[in-house]
Amino acid sequence: MIDYLDTIPYILLLCLLLFNLTINTRKSNNLCFFVLFVFSAIRYDVGFDYMMYLDILRYDPDYDRFEFLEYVLQRFAAKTYILIFFIVNSFITVYFTKWTIEKLSVNVSVSLLAFLCLPLLYTHSLSIIRFWSGVSVLFYATTFLYEKKWIHFAVLYIISYFIHGSMVVGILFIPLVLFKISRTVNIILLIFSFIGGEFVLNRILGSSLADYGILGQRLNYYVKIATTENGMTKIPFLYLATDILFLILWPRKNNNKSSAVLHKYITIFNIGVCILFLFSFDNTLNSRLCRPFLIYIILVVPLILKHLRGEKRRISTFAFTLAASALFIYTITIYNDTLGKSEYLPYRIIFLENY
């Protein structure tokens, strides 16, 4: 049973970001990002994998299954102060996302709310810690593709890979950013993702993916270790409905920079949804590979709202705020059968625990 009093810390967090929608200044946004960072950094037993990481740091400091940079951090934290592992990963997740939003979003406060509330984003970073550090670094790396700063992108891309190996899929950002992909092609890709899943599964399990280089090796690895992630049966359809809405709202005219940017962001998000369904035979695999692209939803939403006018914008903003808030409450109160509780409740602070 969920004790709804346990949701109070999350409700307060949500209220802060809702209030920030009415302010949206640099200082107010900085405060909100800082609160998100602290909320993540000092938590205890919040998130599916939290206790696994804590046990590794306490009892198995030589554990060598992490990627290089996370392995170095794990060893350092185990020998000095265990909490450093969670503080550093929380900082990376929140602040690399912050720097990306500040560079690419047309409304930081709306992007902030989307990051907090939408499934598989901030709340999920509390569960899959290393992975989300990699996603955030890769997210920031993509900003340099728009500026054609190839070395900056390459360095951050490599860093993201050495945080979590699944970030190898980030190589797809190069063609997605450099080339224009039409609405029609996006629709075709989405349709193909529904019928291509069986082929992909047979290809992965029926051939040696090592022949396809590092990307193939990582896909094969995730297929072999994958386990079903809680709640993933409904989330793909939520994002599918959102993707279809974005494609419907796709600006027909491409005669200004804002429309061209929106086309690009929707295309990247659409690729994330395609991956969700292309690899739908396994919920861990698809949720991992799609995340670097799905996160672009926090850039799409404020840009679409900007394209609307007058009453349509006010109604749409209110509808998004209401829907996002509801999704946030739903996410944190989902009962996880494996844990015997919600992944996120109760919210506990590590300084008050005997760990």
Side-chain angles (χ1 to χ4, degrees), residues 61 64 139 285 309 339:
D64 61 355
F139 189 35
L285 183 65
R309 293 290 180 266
L339 294 176

Side-chain angles (χ1 to χ4, degrees), residues 100-302:
T100 308
I101 288 173
E102 289 174 341
K103 289 181 72 172
L104 299 182
S105 178
V106 297
N107 189 315
V108 174
S109 65
V110 173
S111 291
L112 248 171
L113 184 67
F115 179 53
L116 172 70
C117 294
L118 299 183
L120 302 182
L121 301 182
Y122 176 77
T123 51
H124 216 220
S125 75
L126 305 178
S127 284
I128 45 178
I129 299 168
R130 294 180 300 114
F131 173 81
W132 254 101
S133 291
V135 169
S136 298
V137 173
L138 179 59
F139 189 35
Y140 184 59
T142 64
T143 67
F144 294 102
L145 286 176
Y146 299 102
E147 301 168 356
K148 294 183 169 53
K149 294 181 178 179
W150 312 114
I151 295 178
H152 293 72
F153 170 78
V155 170
L156 286 168
Y157 172 68
I158 293 169
I159 289 173
S160 72
Y161 175 76
F162 282 112
I163 291 175
H164 201 281
S166 60
M167 295 308 108
V168 68
V169 298
I171 200 70
L172 295 176
F173 276 107
I174 295 177
L176 289 174
V177 171
L178 294 184
F179 300 109
K180 295 180 180 179
I181 300 177
S182 69
R183 178 170 174 265
T184 301
V185 171
N186 272 284
I187 293 172
I188 292 172
L189 290 173
L190 186 59
I191 293 172
F192 173 76
S193 71
F194 282 94
I195 62 178
E198 183 94 13
F199 169 78
V200 172
L201 176 61
N202 292 335
R203 191 66 178 171
I204 290 176
L205 298 181
S207 65
S208 175
L209 284 178
D211 296 338
Y212 294 88
I214 194 168
L215 179 58
Q217 293 173 27
R218 298 307 299 189
L219 286 176
N220 196 38
Y221 169 75
Y222 278 108
V223 167
K224 288 180 179 178
I225 69 165
T227 57
T228 300
E229 293 200 8
N230 193 49
M232 275 300 295
T233 55
K234 299 175 183 177
I235 290 173
F237 295 99
L238 170 67
Y239 278 120
L240 172 63
T242 305
D243 190 34
I244 292 173
L245 177 62
F246 287 166
L247 291 171
I248 291 172
L249 295 174
W250 180 287
R252 298 298 190 271
K253 296 181 180 179
N254 193 15
N255 55 3
N256 61 70
K257 183 179 179 180
S258 181
S259 293
V261 170
L262 182 55
H263 291 170
K264 193 78 66 180
Y265 291 175
I266 292 176
T267 295
I268 292 171
F269 176 74
N270 181 63
I271 292 300
V273 176
C274 289
I275 291 173
L276 263 177
F277 286 93
L278 193 61
F279 297 98
S280 59
F281 52 82
D282 187 87
N283 290 332
T284 296
L285 183 65
N286 67 0
S287 73
R288 293 294 178 96
L289 297 180
C290 75
R291 213 76 55 87
F293 309 98
L294 282 189
I295 193 175
Y296 260 75
I297 192 174
I298 70 178
L299 303 177
V300 175
V301 170

